[in-house]
Amino acid sequence: MNKREFLKSSLLGVGVTLLSTSVFSSSIMSGKKGNNLQSGNLFEQPPLGYAFDALEPYIDARTMEIHYTKHHAAYTKNLNDQLAKLSSHPKSIVHIFEHITQYPVAVRNNGGGYYNHNLFWKIIAPGGSSEPSAELKRALESAFGSFDNFKKVFIEKAMGVFGSGWAWLIKTPSGLKITTTANQDNPLMETETERGIPILMVDVWEHAYYLKYQNRRREYLEAFWQVINWDQVQHYFQMERVA
Ligand code: MN3
């Protein structure tokens, strides 16, 4: 399997699974053509799945509430509003990312905002394993020398994001890599030089931590580390094998 085929099959695997959290409106499912999206939403914001205070004291309830009900909700609404203006319906959110240069910048920003938070809420969901599986640990050791070094590099990369953006652990044909994106871009977008399957990600926009941590991004990142749901990381890690 060459790199292009790998990415295609891998991204499809992620797309199909993650799209199960998106709900196509009945008008889409019924196959109506044209600009009929004004009264229906192509993408829905998935339920958070846990209480706003579930990640206390690491991530405070007020931040979670505003982040989910205001920021993420707005990205979702704005994405739907933008897509309603288009003459044809996108096949999937992943398909949009793979052809992102063909879309208005508002689709890029709000589509990324919609999708990235869908992933992120699951990564910080309570109740999962507090450490990676043996298999994932071996892959991390292979790529970064040790698990401790992986954590160090990930946090340094996240610290290095200037302004608003994200840090990512991604699966690529040449192994696990850490990358960063600006704004709401993600490693599925055709514009990224480092592309791959998102496995672990952290939101380093100030809205993700400012209420509790103000300018202390490193403290937020250490706190984030305490709430990583490694079962979900493992789930994303294995998803690439879905052809
Ligand atoms: Mn955010």
Side-chain angles (χ1 to χ4, degrees):
M1 189 181 282
N2 65 30
K3 185 176 178 181
R4 188 175 176 84
E5 286 167 340
F6 171 89
L7 271 177
K8 195 173 179 188
S9 63
S10 303
L11 298 184
L12 280 174
V14 170
V16 166
T17 307
L18 296 175
L19 274 171
S20 66
T21 61
S22 313
V23 177
F24 285 87
S25 71
S26 57
S27 66
I28 302 303
M29 297 305 287
S30 67
K32 285 183 190 169
K33 306 280 187 205
N35 286 328
N36 61 345
L37 295 177
Q38 288 83 352
S39 60
N41 292 331
L42 191 55
F43 295 104
E44 282 187 9
Q45 185 183 20
L48 183 61
Y50 48 89
F52 296 130
D53 65 358
L55 303 172
E56 291 270 14
Y58 302 105
I59 301 181
D60 61 290
R62 185 75 176 131
T63 295
M64 286 300 296
E65 182 176 3
I66 296 171
H67 203 170
Y68 178 79
T69 67
K70 305 295 183 193
H71 294 276
H72 191 203
Y75 293 129
T76 307
K77 181 186 186 302
N78 293 339
L79 172 64
N80 284 320
D81 289 350
Q82 286 295 320
L83 294 177
K85 297 178 188 172
L86 303 181
S87 57
S88 63
H89 305 150
K91 291 176 186 168
S92 69
I93 192 73
V94 170
H95 189 268
I96 291 175
F97 297 150
E98 290 172 343
H99 304 84
I100 199 66
T101 56
Q102 298 171 25
Y103 287 88
V105 68
V107 170
R108 178 172 175 170
N109 291 336
N110 291 291
Y114 161 74
Y115 185 82
N116 298 348
H117 290 88
N118 290 356
L119 300 180
F120 185 56
W121 303 138
K122 289 182 182 294
I123 281 296
I124 58 175
S129 175
S130 58
E131 59 180 66
S133 68
E135 178 196 20
L136 177 54
K137 209 164 188 175
R138 276 195 299 275
L140 289 168
E141 286 166 354
S142 168
F144 304 102
S146 69
F147 181 73
D148 286 347
N149 191 56
F150 157 65
K151 177 186 174 184
K152 182 168 172 256
V153 175
F154 188 89
I155 286 180
E156 287 312 313
K157 289 268 191 177
M159 285 298 297
V161 174
F162 186 77
S164 299
W166 294 73
W168 308 82
L169 174 66
I170 59 172
K171 184 94 175 178
T172 80
S174 52
L176 297 176
K177 292 184 180 175
I178 296 168
T179 185
T180 61
T181 56
N183 305 315
Q184 295 294 355
D185 288 356
N186 68 45
L188 300 174
M189 291 183 179
E190 64 172 327
T191 43
E192 289 301 308
T193 49
E194 287 274 34
R195 297 176 69 196
I197 316 299
I199 293 175
L200 172 70
M201 69 295 303
V202 64
D203 185 345
V204 292
W205 282 59
E206 284 188 344
H207 69 223
Y209 61 89
Y210 204 85
L211 285 180
K212 184 175 173 73
Y213 297 100
Q214 293 84 51
N215 62 323
R216 305 187 304 278
R217 185 188 287 185
R218 189 179 296 276
E219 277 183 43
Y220 158 69
L221 291 168
E222 289 289 348
F224 156 77
W225 207 263
Q226 299 301 314
V227 297
I228 294 174
N229 183 323
W230 287 98
D231 287 343
Q232 188 65 33
V233 182
Q234 176 71 13
H235 180 65
Y236 291 151
F237 177 58
Q238 288 178 323
M239 219 178 263
E240 53 131 12
R241 299 196 181 111
V242 179

